[in-house]
Amino acid sequence: MTIATDTVCELILRARAIDVKEELTDPDSGSNPIDDGGVDALMDGGDDATEEELREVISGLNDDERAELIALVYVGRGDMDAAEWPDAVRLAREREAANVLPTVDWLLGIPNLGDLWDEGLAAMGRSCA
């Protein structure tokens, strides 16, 4: 694995921040966060830069790093194991070459993406701890 563990760990944090967001249930509440018990902090108001930042970081990675992020998903969800890493990266490159859906869109459409990356890192003998 050539992608820096720190880079993957940063992406994991950002992906998890997106995963906990919920759709707005009361967009015009007008009250302050203390009165609401702070629940608005977990609402996706459209002006939250977290997803945009994650998209920018992923888009800014080189081809090898993006392929390895995809491969980490394959390993993290159990499609392949760590011993199959070269095959996982090859499949990831084929997925990108097919250009079915831009990589960043494909990745952000995966539920619990941060957890899958974390599982993938663990399988590869790496950790964010």
Side-chain angles (χ1 to χ4, degrees):
M1 214 172 95
T2 60
I3 190 170
T5 302
D6 289 344
T7 300
V8 178
C9 292
E10 176 187 338
L11 291 170
I12 289 169
L13 288 174
R14 292 175 188 264
R16 286 180 173 161
I18 292 170
D19 282 344
V20 299
K21 295 287 184 176
E22 297 178 4
E23 294 297 317
L24 287 177
T25 56
D26 186 17
D28 299 319
S29 70
S31 68
N32 71 45
I34 294 171
D35 291 343
D36 288 344
V39 296
D40 284 345
L42 296 177
M43 300 295 168
D44 184 5
D47 59 350
D48 184 8
T50 307
E51 182 176 335
E52 183 180 328
E53 292 168 352
L54 183 58
R55 286 178 175 280
E56 287 176 9
V57 172
I58 293 171
S59 296
L61 298 174
N62 65 42
D63 293 343
D64 293 335
E65 292 169 325
R66 277 193 317 277
E68 289 188 353
L69 280 181
I70 295 169
L72 278 174
V73 169
Y74 296 156
V75 172
R77 67 182 179 198
D79 297 338
M80 305 180 96
D81 60 36
E84 298 173 296
W85 182 252
D87 292 330
V89 173
R90 180 185 49 76
L91 277 172
R93 289 179 201 276
E94 289 173 5
R95 195 229 149 267
E96 276 209 293
N99 200 21
V100 176
L101 183 67
T103 297
V104 69
D105 292 334
W106 182 78
L107 287 169
L108 291 179
I110 298 172
N112 301 315
L113 177 61
D115 293 339
L116 294 176
W117 279 333
D118 195 30
E119 293 283 332
L121 276 181
M124 297 299 293
R126 297 187 182 186
S127 169
C128 294

